[in-house]
Amino acid sequence: MSPVVAAILAILFVAFGVLVSILLHEAGHFVFAKLFKVRVGQFMVGFGKTLWSRTIKGTEFGIKAIPLGGYISMAGMYPPTAPGRAADGAEAGSGYRLFQTLVQDARSASADTIEPGYEDAVFYKLPIWKRIIIMLGGPVVNFLIGIALFAIIITGLGAPALLATVASVPACVHPATSTSTVCDSSDAKSPAAKAGFKPGDKVLSVNGTSITSWAQLTSIIRTSIAKPLAVVVERSGREVTLHATPISNAEYVLDPAGNIKKNSAGDARVHDVGYLGIDATEYLKPLPASDIMPQVWSTTTSVGGVVINLPARLVGVWNAAFSTAPRDPNGPIGLIGVGRIAGQIGTDGSPFALQFEQLLAVLASLNIALFVFNLIPLPPLDGGHIIAALWEGLKRGAARIFHRSDPGPVDTAKIIPLTFAVVVVLVAMTVLLGYADIVKPITLQ
């Protein structure tokens, strides 16, 4: 398969996974809304122009042109103006009247969704706990998808591991600081190539020491600069003894997390280690189910850290996009960046099982990100509606405690201007991330 076709297939796989994740997110809202007898006028994936739709039992299901989210339209999202209250902003300045026009338009649009005979099948009349469950339905579905995908990855496919079996033998020696990918006449021939190592050789022992893992083998090689090694390998069902002497080669110094350490001047640290010139064979090793939730928790806290520090992270993205500053590989990424990563996975030359696992990991992480991001307590995100419901519960609870009259539903229409402001910020963030993903993309390490 050509690299271009492989990249396109990988991108389409992730794109389809994202579309399904959005659909199931909205289905989470929809199921609970119907369970609590709320009329749902629309169930849409995407925004903008409707590309396809069909009405089933009073609900229009459809797909729109811009696949950057989705929504369901529930009847009576906003309560009407309280009886006896004057029209908002009648004697205020033009700026205030503009905001109040937005509020009144939202109320009118909400009222238009209430059909005669269904005055009680509305969102704002539901008990607070039911409203919270409806709004949690979408993010929780994404969280469950993330758990399911990590379960498939960890217990079904397994984590990438290395066998003490030769996958490839580089023809020459390149230090870690080199960016060259081809050999020329000035490059030293690798000791493994000189000794006659071949792909598929299974290393059995080194100088009489039995080898049980790739880590054990590399540990011996790295500490054996200029020391002759007798390596016994299994090749085509028979044992072959090869003689090789590791040479000194520069390698980056890494911390426990695998990041390159730097010195006081900010330069990458390198050190000399023994080098033979053999690459390990990768395979997938299934892990116990007890490893699933730690991985889910690690991903959730990692995404949560990005969200909590999102303003600072976006400043970093801006600086990287419009200067020579580096892009933070652990920072926020847009859909274009996700697509590029998917394309890289599809063309990295790994076995299909490893590529499939990596693509599933991308989708698992995206679903965890959807779970965390949608719980941000700002409208129009699900967390904004949850906070509004909790605030209403707090007000009504306080009224009962102090024997006051029921204050009624919180007038959530009043935060429509804030909703518009958040939408503008989200659009700007999407544009910024898209531009940064093009001019300075995050790449796989």
Side-chain angles (χ1 to χ4, degrees):
M1 184 184 299
S2 72
V4 173
V5 173
I8 291 174
L9 289 177
I11 292 170
L12 289 177
F13 177 82
V14 171
F16 179 75
V18 171
L19 183 66
V20 171
S21 298
I22 293 172
L23 186 149
L24 292 177
H25 174 101
E26 298 308 326
H29 294 309
F30 178 80
V31 168
F32 284 107
K34 297 298 285 185
L35 180 65
F36 297 142
K37 310 300 182 183
V38 176
R39 183 180 176 277
V40 180
Q42 286 187 314
F43 182 124
M44 293 290 172
V45 175
F47 300 98
K49 183 180 179 180
T50 300
L51 302 179
W52 171 89
S53 71
R54 178 173 295 180
T55 300
I56 302 174
K57 294 183 178 180
T59 300
E60 181 188 9
F61 297 86
I63 298 176
K64 291 184 173 286
I66 305 174
L68 296 179
Y71 66 91
I72 65 169
S73 175
M74 291 181 285
M77 284 294 294
Y78 304 112
T81 304
R85 182 178 296 173
D88 294 319
E91 300 178 359
S94 59
Y96 187 77
R97 284 199 300 271
L98 173 62
F99 284 157
Q100 294 308 319
T101 298
L102 294 175
V103 171
Q104 192 54 48
D105 286 347
R107 288 200 187 105
S108 299
S110 177
D112 291 342
T113 63
I114 305 174
E115 295 187 351
Y118 294 92
E119 289 81 3
D120 291 327
V122 295
F123 181 77
Y124 78 86
K125 288 186 178 181
L126 288 176
I128 291 167
W129 65 272
K130 289 186 177 181
R131 276 181 270 164
I132 292 174
I133 288 177
I134 290 175
M135 301 318 300
L136 280 176
V140 168
V141 165
N142 289 127
F143 189 65
L144 294 176
I145 294 172
I147 293 175
L149 290 176
F150 276 126
I152 293 171
I153 292 168
I154 291 171
T155 64
L157 297 173
L162 302 176
L163 286 173
T165 299
V166 179
S168 61
V169 182
C172 61
V173 179
H174 286 138
T177 52
S178 172
T179 58
S180 176
T181 58
V182 296
C183 297
D184 57 40
S185 57
S186 63
D187 293 323
K189 191 174 183 180
S190 73
K194 289 181 181 179
F197 280 85
K198 295 181 178 181
D201 286 347
K202 180 181 179 181
V203 180
L204 302 178
S205 67
V206 177
N207 286 351
T209 300
S210 296
I211 299 300
T212 58
S213 69
W214 178 258
Q216 179 194 14
L217 175 60
T218 55
S219 177
I220 293 173
I221 294 172
R222 290 164 63 87
T223 57
S224 300
I225 298 175
K227 297 179 182 179
L229 302 177
V231 183
V232 178
V233 302
E234 180 183 307
R235 178 186 296 170
S236 301
R238 63 189 182 89
E239 293 186 4
V240 177
T241 300
L242 303 172
H243 298 276
T245 302
I247 62 173
S248 177
N249 193 34
E251 183 181 85
Y252 287 117
V253 179
L254 305 178
D255 62 20
N259 301 311
I260 298 174
K261 289 186 176 181
K262 296 184 179 181
N263 57 26
S264 57
D267 299 321
R269 291 172 56 186
V270 296
H271 62 166
D272 292 329
V273 297
Y275 176 82
L276 199 60
I278 54 175
D279 295 326
T281 297
E282 287 187 297
Y283 76 108
L284 294 175
K285 179 181 179 182
L287 299 175
S290 58
D291 286 352
I292 297 172
M293 293 313 297
Q295 178 61 55
V296 171
W297 175 250
S298 174
T299 304
T300 304
T301 54
S302 177
V303 173
V306 172
V307 170
I308 290 172
N309 298 293
L310 192 57
R313 297 277 190 158
L314 290 176
V315 169
V317 173
W318 176 278
N319 292 336
F322 297 99
S323 73
T324 58
R327 181 91 180 263
D328 180 2
N330 298 314
I333 184 172
L335 287 178
I336 293 176
V338 171
R340 296 189 69 149
I341 287 178
Q344 291 176 51
I345 292 172
T347 57
D348 68 0
S350 299
F352 174 77
L354 283 170
Q355 292 179 336
F356 182 61
E357 181 192 61
Q358 287 179 301
L359 292 174
L360 287 183
V362 169
L363 289 176
S365 298
L366 281 174
N367 274 279
I368 297 297
L370 286 172
F371 165 71
V372 175
F373 191 78
N374 274 285
L375 291 182
I376 295 176
L378 290 172
L381 300 173
D382 299 327
H385 294 285
I386 293 170
I387 286 295
L390 291 173
W391 174 243
E392 180 178 317
L394 184 63
K395 288 183 65 177
R396 285 181 156 173
R400 284 193 298 270
I401 292 173
F402 294 104
H403 305 290
R404 297 172 182 170
S405 60
D406 186 346
V410 168
D411 190 0
T412 50
K414 286 188 173 181
I415 61 174
I416 285 296
L418 175 61
T419 301
F420 273 84
V422 172
V423 169
V424 170
V425 171
L426 291 178
V427 170
M429 182 180 73
T430 300
V431 172
L432 172 61
L433 290 175
Y435 178 75
D437 289 340
I438 294 172
V439 302
K440 194 169 289 184
I442 292 175
T443 58
L444 294 174
Q445 299 298 313

